[in-house]
Amino acid sequence: MSKAEKTRQFIIEQTAELFNKKGYAGTSLSDITSATGLTKGSIYGNFENKDEVAKEVYLYNSKRLQNSFIGQLTSEMSTREKLFTIIDFYRKTWEINFSRGGCPHLNTAVEADDTMPFLKNEVSRNFEGWANQFSKILEKGKTQNEIVESIDSQKYAYQFITLIEGGILLSKTMNNKTHLFNALERIEKIIDNELIK
């Protein structure tokens, strides 16, 4: 890693929680300089503008979240174990994730929806990638004779995401983990009652 790359990474890491909590509009250049201890010139010497910082921070937050649960999956696990491991990740880490500002996908999607297409496109791609991960697990489960062959894997993948993100939204907004936990329990019932052979 070059010195410039290290500085870029430092800026991204130091502002990751800041952007996730305050959002794009709420994060000022002075917030960024305070969080990093760098000057305005140093920030813009490493990034073209605030848009680029926000985009790279979102991608960093998204990858960090994804790696947290994907890293827990092993090839020895059954399809059910893989799915339940992902669900359990949200149950076990809700407190630390909420303290960091909540889900970066949800936060960025809501803020960028009508005003920042450069961020909305990134969130959309990440949701597609997340759905594809769920779908691949289900499709592999079909080949291993663990999942009902007739199910639409993509449809269920997006249902899982909808329930997780909806649960996070309600729980974070209402300061009550019950809504997220209810959503996760619903996914587990769907897995056992509709997907597992």
Side-chain angles (χ1 to χ4, degrees), residues 4-185:
E5 288 171 331
K6 285 180 181 176
T7 302
R8 277 177 63 91
Q9 189 63 27
F10 174 77
I11 294 167
I12 290 167
E13 290 176 4
Q14 293 303 306
T15 59
E17 191 171 310
L18 179 68
F19 271 98
N20 200 45
K21 283 183 173 179
K22 297 184 76 172
Y24 176 87
T27 302
S28 66
L29 182 57
S30 63
D31 290 329
I32 297 170
T33 58
S34 292
T36 60
L38 300 174
T39 64
K40 177 181 175 181
S42 184
I43 302 297
Y44 287 141
N46 288 281
F47 293 92
E48 186 177 334
N49 51 34
K50 184 180 166 187
D51 289 0
E52 188 184 5
V53 180
K55 176 182 169 182
E56 292 303 319
V57 165
Y58 165 69
L59 292 174
Y60 170 80
N61 279 333
S62 172
K63 188 173 182 180
R64 181 171 65 177
L65 176 64
Q66 178 184 340
N67 289 344
S68 295
F69 61 80
I70 293 300
Q72 297 180 30
L73 305 182
T74 67
S75 56
E76 292 78 27
M77 289 179 170
S78 67
T79 302
R80 184 181 186 275
E81 286 172 331
K82 288 178 183 175
L83 295 171
F84 272 63
T85 295
I86 295 171
I87 302 312
D88 208 36
F89 165 81
Y90 283 94
R91 190 176 284 118
K92 288 178 178 175
T93 64
W94 71 271
E95 198 166 15
I96 189 166
N97 286 331
F98 283 19
S99 73
R100 291 178 178 163
C103 177
H105 301 307
L106 180 63
N107 293 346
T108 308
V110 170
E111 187 178 23
D113 185 33
D114 295 313
T115 57
M116 289 175 277
F118 75 95
L119 273 179
K120 182 180 179 180
N121 292 338
E122 295 298 336
V123 178
S124 180
R125 273 195 284 273
N126 273 296
F127 276 134
E128 286 174 9
W130 192 10
N132 287 336
Q133 286 174 341
F134 270 128
S135 187
K136 282 178 185 176
I137 292 170
L138 293 173
E139 286 299 307
K140 187 172 182 183
K142 288 181 184 181
T143 66
Q144 296 171 327
N145 202 32
E146 297 174 349
I147 297 292
V148 176
E149 288 181 26
S150 61
I151 65 108
D152 183 333
S153 296
Q154 280 286 104
K155 177 182 172 183
Y156 277 98
Y158 279 108
Q159 282 182 14
F160 294 164
I161 292 170
T162 300
L163 284 164
I164 290 168
E165 293 296 341
I168 291 171
L169 173 65
L170 283 176
S171 288
K172 184 82 169 63
T173 303
M174 302 176 78
N175 294 315
N176 184 347
K177 69 179 181 180
T178 303
H179 304 294
L180 172 60
F181 281 37
N182 287 343
L184 298 176
E185 186 179 319

